Amino acid sequence: MSIFIQYTVNGLTAGAFYALVALGYTIIYGIIRLINFAHGDLTMVGSFIGWTVLVSMGLQRLPVFLAIALAALASMVVTSVINVGILQFAYKPLLNKSLLAILITALGMSIFLQNAALLVFGAGVQAYPHLVTSSGVFIGGVRISYAQSIFFTISLVLMAGLYSFARFTTLGTAMRALAVDHDAARLMGINVNRVIAIAFILAAILAAAAGVMIGLYYTQINFFLGFLLGLRAFTSAVLGGIGNIPGAMAGGLVIGLLESYCAGYLSGRWQDVFVFGVLITVLIIKPTGLFGERVAERM
Amino acid sequence: MALLEVDDIHVFYGNIEALRGLSIQVDGGEMVAVLGSNGAGKTTTLRTLSGLERARAGSVRFDDQDITRTAAHEIVGRGLCQVPEGRRIFTTLTVAENLALGGYLMRNRQQELRQRRDVVYETFPRLAERRGQLAGTLSGGEQQMLAIGRALMTQPRLITLDEPSLGLSPLLARAILKIVRRFADEGVAVLVVEQNARQALAVADRAYVLETGRIVLEGAASDLAADERVQKAYLGGFEQIVEEEEGREKEKEKEDPSPLGGG
């Protein structure tokens, strides 16, 4: 039993990261109907920016919390700029053209970000500093590391923040309105282009947070980590019903758990088979996802 | 100087010229109807006024300022708001959230916002009853009230309506047009596009007849209602059947005098 709980704790931690990235897929899909394949790679870039600040610029010598906060902040700013840049130069000109054209462009942006990171940071693995201790507390044979509890809590806070923003602020309401009808939103005086840009910034902020936490938690990153991460997060978003914010959160946690149980009880080699098996099953049986009833409405 | 002056606009969809030199005017506090059959360019006219389509030639002036090339969301801020065809409410949001978006431009002025909202709820008590309900679950008539209420939230000086009676029972359609007439009496100019010519002419001050992207006839609503050409083209046949139906509806109306739920 304690083993099961241990796998659950591990799965929830990874799942929280997937959920943060999945939210990025879901927000952007909700607003412009684009599956932004570059989003996983944006998370990777976010991770590298954090690494740059902590290691290359040497901020890891500062007090831990200050160092991490600065790294996360720098990462959020840079990924936001990159994401809005991608929006303006790559996606915006195609917004009213075919969905396929913009989808292929997103794939292109994914490859672009990977290769840019390869060029700047090299092909090797980079080590994140061990800032958050991997020691922890034992409760009935289950080890919960400080890193796990801290990162899980931060993730939950970010998710709650995003949810409240979308649910309770007028700007968030405008964002949900865009999921329904862009022209009607314009007729309310909503600057649609600006709201889309804000959505891209929100997605980037969550991706940067996830990227830095992933670096600190797994302590190793490379330019290719965004690919699988992105696919898993995308699967999470589809599982929860893409376009649906609580759905992406739940989907991320479920995928994290599934992966952890699979790695624990079967073998780590099988976990991707399971995850993508889930994706295919959901797409066949319930394409609207777990929170299906409101997905038609996208967000 | 009229509140809205549309001068010789030409609008294209690709190579197809949807508006071929259309000119209309609306004064403050006036209710103007634009009649025309399907494909005459009524919706295009309103979309162009709202900045959702661009005129290739000609000009749109609102409140003495050129808005021909102004962005759609800025035009709303100037005081011209459209109730689009098919209502286009935000179905996944609640009634209250839909209205909040109508107040998007004054979202930082809470007090003003509350006042506007109270006015809307007074006009359409049914919306107040359903404020927490998802807009997609409203009936057709209620959705039209919400679409109009949402537009009222923007504090318009000119409100344009695209086929507000579409899909409504004749009774409700007339009630909606009467409410809209009241806006005009209260000083908000109204430009309403209708296929339902008889009802529109009954409440409007003036009217234009639009055919294949051009104004072919204009005048006082009562004159147009009596015009032989208008009668033949827009008030005959099917309209007469509708009229008879309305006679029957009127019986019911006596029992339930307020289809909009109070007010």
Side-chain angles (χ1 to χ4, degrees):
Chain A
M1 188 61 200
S2 69
I3 289 241
F4 176 77
I5 297 175
Q6 184 68 63
Y7 293 152
T8 306
V9 169
N10 298 347
L12 285 176
T13 313
F17 300 150
Y18 297 152
L20 287 180
V21 182
L23 281 171
Y25 278 96
T26 249
I27 296 170
I28 288 169
Y29 182 84
I31 282 193
I32 57 172
R33 290 291 225 151
L34 164 70
I35 293 166
N36 183 13
F37 284 113
H39 194 66
D41 302 288
L42 187 76
T43 312
M44 174 274 295
V45 171
S47 197
F48 268 105
I49 302 298
W51 174 84
T52 307
V53 170
L54 289 172
V55 179
S56 304
M57 294 166 66
L59 262 64
Q60 54 181 316
R61 283 185 293 275
L62 292 175
V64 176
F65 281 106
L66 187 62
I68 294 176
L70 286 174
L73 194 68
S75 176
M76 287 172 182
V77 170
V78 174
T79 50
S80 294
V81 170
I82 291 173
N83 218 22
V84 172
I86 290 175
L87 168 67
Q88 298 294 343
F89 293 109
Y91 300 157
K92 184 76 63 69
L94 298 170
L95 268 185
N96 300 317
K97 306 285 188 324
S98 90
L99 272 177
L100 196 58
I102 194 166
L103 203 66
I104 292 168
T105 308
L107 277 173
M109 282 298 116
S110 163
I111 296 169
F112 171 78
L113 287 179
Q114 274 172 32
N115 284 280
L118 179 63
L119 212 62
V120 176
F121 301 105
V125 169
Q126 301 291 358
Y128 247 75
H130 292 263
L131 289 182
V132 183
T133 165
S134 52
S135 67
V137 288
F138 277 88
I139 306 170
V142 178
R143 198 177 67 94
I144 302 174
S145 75
Y146 292 126
Q148 284 175 328
S149 44
I150 290 171
F151 293 148
F152 188 70
T153 309
I154 293 176
S155 302
L156 285 190
V157 168
L158 286 171
M159 286 187 243
L162 179 79
Y163 180 78
S164 315
F165 170 80
R167 185 81 179 71
F168 301 117
T169 68
T170 310
L171 191 57
T173 310
M175 219 168 258
R176 286 184 290 141
L178 282 198
V180 185
D181 194 330
H182 281 210
D183 272 354
R186 286 192 179 92
L187 292 178
M188 298 293 96
I190 296 169
N191 184 342
V192 168
N193 286 336
R194 184 188 294 165
V195 176
I196 293 175
I198 290 171
F200 269 72
I201 289 173
L202 284 177
I205 285 175
L206 296 178
V212 171
M213 287 194 288
I214 283 169
L216 288 167
Y217 184 64
Y218 297 106
T219 67
Q220 288 187 343
I221 58 172
N222 68 20
F223 76 97
F224 203 59
L225 80 86
F227 178 72
L228 259 188
L229 175 69
L231 280 180
R232 285 173 189 163
F234 170 62
T235 304
S236 309
V238 171
L239 177 63
I242 192 151
N244 183 307
I245 287 178
M249 300 176 188
L253 294 177
V254 169
I255 292 294
L257 286 173
L258 202 72
E259 219 180 69
S260 172
Y261 295 144
C262 183
Y265 290 116
L266 288 166
S267 152
R269 288 192 208 155
W270 284 92
Q271 62 185 26
D272 284 334
V273 176
F274 263 73
V275 169
F276 299 124
V278 166
L279 176 63
I280 293 166
T281 312
V282 171
L283 286 177
I284 291 172
I285 296 176
K286 202 167 187 306
T288 50
L290 292 179
F291 291 62
E293 69 282 354
R294 290 189 62 177
V295 170
E297 281 76 87
R298 285 177 254 166
M299 192 152 168
Chain B
M1 185 123 266
L3 180 64
L4 176 77
E5 292 194 15
V6 180
D7 186 27
D8 192 27
I9 52 170
H10 295 256
V11 178
F12 291 75
Y13 292 114
N15 286 325
I16 299 157
E17 191 171 10
L19 297 184
R20 310 156 180 246
L22 175 129
S23 302
I24 55 177
Q25 287 193 1
V26 181
D27 284 318
E30 187 184 33
M31 179 165 180
V32 176
V34 176
L35 313 178
S37 50
N38 266 334
K42 293 172 299 182
T43 296
T44 308
T45 304
L46 293 198
R47 284 179 63 84
T48 309
L49 299 188
S50 283
L52 294 175
E53 306 293 343
R54 289 272 166 257
R56 208 179 276 181
S59 75
V60 181
R61 292 181 73 79
F62 181 69
D63 195 23
D64 233 357
Q65 281 179 318
D66 191 337
I67 58 164
T68 321
R69 318 234 151 257
T70 308
H73 65 268
E74 284 172 26
I75 289 176
V76 180
R78 306 258 180 107
L80 193 168
C81 189
Q82 183 189 153
V83 179
E85 185 178 2
R87 328 193 223 290
R88 309 272 288 259
I89 53 164
F90 303 113
T91 47
T92 58
L93 308 186
T94 64
V95 169
E97 284 172 336
N98 269 274
L99 293 181
L101 287 182
Y104 184 80
L105 291 174
M106 49 174 103
R107 61 188 177 282
N108 297 321
R109 304 199 294 274
Q110 281 302 319
Q111 205 183 345
E112 215 173 309
L113 206 58
R114 226 169 291 135
Q115 278 170 3
R116 295 299 302 169
R117 205 188 46 205
D118 290 345
V119 170
V120 172
Y121 282 153
E122 255 167 56
T123 315
F124 301 112
R126 191 71 62 80
L127 294 182
E129 286 166 30
R130 316 235 145 154
R131 65 183 80 190
Q133 209 168 308
L134 287 185
T137 66
L138 299 179
S139 73
E142 288 163 349
Q143 291 194 2
Q144 188 59 267
M145 294 176 209
L146 180 57
I148 295 172
R150 192 178 63 170
L152 277 186
M153 288 294 294
T154 68
Q155 213 153 14
R157 278 180 302 152
L158 169 63
I159 186 164
T160 68
L161 299 103
D162 196 348
E163 304 265 6
S165 70
L166 200 71
L168 300 184
S169 73
L171 177 67
L172 260 175
R174 201 167 42 233
I176 290 280
L177 281 172
K178 271 184 187 161
I179 282 276
V180 170
R181 169 75 243 179
R182 218 163 74 193
F183 300 155
D185 295 336
E186 286 162 6
V188 179
V190 175
L191 179 64
V192 59
V193 150
E194 266 295 348
Q195 278 198 59
N196 192 337
R198 188 178 298 272
Q199 292 195 346
L201 289 176
V203 288
D205 299 308
R206 287 192 307 118
Y208 294 92
V209 175
L210 186 57
E211 255 169 39
T212 57
R214 263 194 210 101
I215 298 296
V216 292
L217 214 56
E218 61 176 287
S222 50
D223 292 349
L224 282 189
D227 188 288
E228 206 175 291
R229 286 164 293 177
V230 174
Q231 283 192 337
K232 208 168 162 196
Y234 302 103
L235 302 176
F238 179 73
E239 290 282 339
Q240 265 162 7
I241 299 171
V242 172
E243 197 73 355
E244 284 162 25
E245 286 296 317
E246 277 171 18
R248 254 169 258 160
E249 291 274 353
K250 243 174 206 157
E251 301 291 307
K252 281 190 227 157
E253 198 177 3
K254 278 170 195 156
E255 293 155 32
D256 176 19
S258 64
L260 297 182

